[in-house]
Amino acid sequence: MSSLPEGWRRLRAEDAAATAELLAKDEILHGHPGQVSDQDVREWWRRTDLDRNSWVREEDGHLIALGWVEEYGGDVVGGGAVRPGEKGRGLGATLVEAAERRAGARARA
């Protein structure tokens, strides 16, 4: 995907801690321990090009939705989350659409 949805930007390495915090909150919401660390995030991001394969929405200085696609074991997979309290705004649907479009483009390459 060459362009970003309106109001979105690319993830940056300095977003790792805030990304881990958002993902942990999402895990807790779904009944999991919520133990994602910024080290986990950095490891996942080693397999992706954040400048081309990531999306983040930030409001009032907080990451509220984010996602990325990466190659893993020969497959293209996606990761991401929407902050609890921000669900129902179509942010997740935007992420899924962007990730599917980018994964499809990578598969055709």
Side-chain angles (χ1 to χ4, degrees):
M1 182 171 163
S2 59
S3 63
L4 290 164
E6 186 175 334
W8 294 74
R9 66 169 173 83
R10 299 290 182 200
L11 284 163
R12 301 181 294 252
E14 58 267 22
D15 292 322
T19 296
E21 181 263 336
L22 191 158
L23 292 173
K25 285 184 186 263
D26 190 61
E27 282 191 341
I28 291 167
L29 179 72
H30 292 96
H32 302 287
Q35 298 175 340
V36 176
S37 72
D38 57 331
Q39 290 292 89
D40 295 326
V41 170
R42 284 187 186 96
E43 179 65 30
W44 299 329
W45 286 356
R46 284 188 196 139
R47 297 185 297 258
T48 194
D49 176 357
L50 294 179
D51 292 334
R52 296 185 59 203
N53 303 322
S54 71
W55 310 270
V56 64
R57 179 74 177 249
E58 187 173 10
E59 291 180 2
D60 299 324
H62 299 283
L63 305 186
I64 62 165
L66 56 87
W68 67 92
V69 294
E70 63 186 60
E71 289 189 36
Y72 185 74
D75 294 321
V76 176
V77 298
V82 175
R83 182 173 296 280
E86 302 295 338
K87 296 177 187 283
R89 297 176 48 191
L91 299 168
T94 299
L95 285 170
V96 169
E97 181 181 305
E100 286 179 342
R101 202 175 305 158
R102 186 65 187 135
R106 290 177 66 128
R108 289 187 297 275

